[in-house]
Amino acid sequence: GSIVVSNIEGEVKTRTSGGSLKFNSVKGNLIGKTSGGSIKLKDCSGDVSVGTSGGSINIGTVSGTVKAHTSGGSIRVTEVMGKIDASTSGGSVKAYISKQPKADCYLKTSGGSINVKLDAKLRFNLDARTSGGTVSTDFPVKVSGKLRRNKLQSAINGGGPELVLKSSGGSIRISKID
């Protein structure tokens, strides 16, 4: 079955074979695994490690680091302040980052596109690569060497933590938040 966790202070560990996981207002580290459902996180203030074999992952505001993996769905990231390491084998990745992350961010997919919206003032060292599409950005970038449609490496706003975006099956788009 599904598991719902709300308003918890302290470490949380959950596991289910056939249902979804929902977390709201967790103040502490969180580990969540499911074999057959989706995962939703909202307002977590610790480090997060979540995984699913059969569903999507929706990550709201997290002040710690996030490690997230799904084999069969998409990933959506709203706001993570620490390191992000999110990957999917079967869907697209969308991320919205309005505050400067304190560490590197990795977003990867084997079967879809990546769309990242960034605040115009954020600083990153961008490394975006795709095998099955193109890479495009709204940010001014400097490119050394040959300009390629499926690869872009450049400092954004003078550089900062790494922002690594990799797709095997779709395009990558980096845009400014409206």
Side-chain angles (χ1 to χ4, degrees), residues 103-161:
D104 299 341
C105 299
Y106 301 88
L107 302 172
K108 301 170 197 157
T109 179
S110 298
S113 61
I114 299 175
N115 290 294
V116 179
K117 289 191 172 221
L118 304 172
D119 183 272
K121 297 177 185 175
L122 297 183
R123 300 175 321 278
F124 283 104
N125 289 323
L126 177 66
D127 182 359
R129 303 165 190 236
T130 180
S131 301
T134 60
V135 176
S136 61
T137 182
D138 292 344
F139 289 87
V141 294
K142 291 183 183 179
V143 178
S144 297
K146 185 178 177 182
L147 184 62
R148 298 168 68 181
R149 70 174 189 83
N150 64 344
K151 179 181 175 183
L152 178 60
Q153 292 177 295
S154 181
I156 293 179
N157 294 324

Side-chain angles (χ1 to χ4, degrees), residues 19-144:
S20 62
L21 301 174
K22 292 183 183 180
F23 304 98
N24 183 30
S25 190
V26 175
K27 295 180 181 178
N29 296 337
L30 179 135
I31 298 172
K33 305 288 181 201
T34 180
S35 297
S38 62
I39 299 173
K40 293 184 181 181
L41 297 145
K42 185 177 173 185
D43 298 324
C44 296
S45 63
D47 294 338
V48 171
S49 177
V50 292
T52 179
S53 298
S56 61
I57 299 175
N58 190 334
I59 301 167
T61 304
V62 176
S63 61
T65 64
V66 171
K67 183 167 181 75
H69 176 74
T70 178
S71 298
S74 62
I75 296 176
R76 174 171 279 174
V77 179
T78 301
E79 193 75 63
V80 175
M81 310 312 170
K83 177 180 180 177
I84 304 169
D85 188 350
S87 62
T88 178
S89 300
S92 62
V93 177
K94 292 183 180 182
Y96 178 94
I97 305 171
S98 66
K99 296 178 184 166
Q100 182 69 50
K102 300 170 189 163
D104 299 341
C105 299
Y106 301 88
L107 302 172
K108 301 170 197 157
T109 179
S110 298
S113 61
I114 299 175
N115 290 294
V116 179
K117 289 191 172 221
L118 304 172
D119 183 272
K121 297 177 185 175
L122 297 183
R123 300 175 321 278
F124 283 104
N125 289 323
L126 177 66
D127 182 359
R129 303 165 190 236
T130 180
S131 301
T134 60
V135 176
S136 61
T137 182
D138 292 344
F139 289 87
V141 294
K142 291 183 183 179
V143 178
S144 297

